[in-house]
């Protein structure tokens, strides 16, 4: 059982993972699309530490930092969450099951088409 599962692999989810992993909580980030809206940005000029950076490059750097702290990032889309003994059971799109003591939602928003 994982201490924390973060649903959403955009900047908010990866940022949350930085904190949970630093506190030595076993952390799993699950998201359908790595980086979310940030990864499609051409140039980001207002992120601390970078004068300008491509959105995808920024997401890759943050993902590498998260993984270096011991968190895992998985590509999946959560379809169902149920309460289980001492935590939660999350079911992915292909039927994969994940167990966690706690869940953080950072699933963001989708642009209108």
């Amino acid at each position: 059982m994982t201490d924390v599962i973060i649903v959403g692999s955009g900047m908010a989810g990866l940022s949350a993972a930085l904190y949970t992993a630093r506190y030595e909580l076993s952390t799993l980030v699950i998201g359908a699309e790595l980086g979310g809206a940030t990864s499609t940005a051409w140039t980001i000029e207002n992120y601390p530490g970078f004068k300008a950076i491509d959105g995808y490059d920024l997401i890759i750097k943050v993902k590498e930092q998260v993984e270096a702290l011991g968190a895992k990032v998985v590509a999946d889309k959560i379809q169902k969450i149920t309460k289980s003994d001492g935590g939660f059971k999350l079911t992915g799109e292909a039927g994969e099951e994940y167990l966690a003591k706690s869940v953080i939602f950072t699933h963001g928003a989708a642009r209108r088409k």
Side-chain angles (χ1 to χ4, degrees):
M1 180 177 284
T2 304
D3 289 324
V4 179
I5 290 181
I6 300 168
V7 179
S9 57
M11 185 58 80
L14 293 174
S15 295
L18 286 173
Y19 286 94
T20 59
R22 282 202 186 278
Y23 279 97
E24 298 180 3
L25 298 171
S26 58
T27 302
L28 178 62
V29 179
I30 303 173
E33 182 181 329
L34 180 65
T38 304
S39 65
T40 62
W42 291 97
T43 303
I44 296 174
E45 296 177 329
N46 60 347
Y47 197 83
F50 298 98
K51 185 174 179 179
I53 188 168
D54 177 78
Y56 182 76
D57 292 339
L58 177 60
I59 289 297
I60 294 302
K61 288 182 182 297
V62 176
K63 178 182 179 270
E64 289 171 353
Q65 184 178 7
V66 163
E67 291 175 334
L69 291 169
K72 294 179 183 166
V73 180
V74 173
D76 200 349
K77 187 173 184 178
I78 298 301
Q79 298 294 314
K80 182 179 179 182
I81 300 175
T82 55
K83 188 97 166 124
S84 69
D85 293 334
F88 302 90
K89 180 170 76 171
L90 293 80
T91 306
E93 198 167 50
E96 184 76 27
E97 293 184 345
Y98 310 93
L99 299 174
K101 294 177 185 174
S102 59
V103 178
I104 299 174
F105 291 97
T106 64
H107 48 80
R111 289 191 171 144
R112 292 184 188 182
K113 296 181 181 181

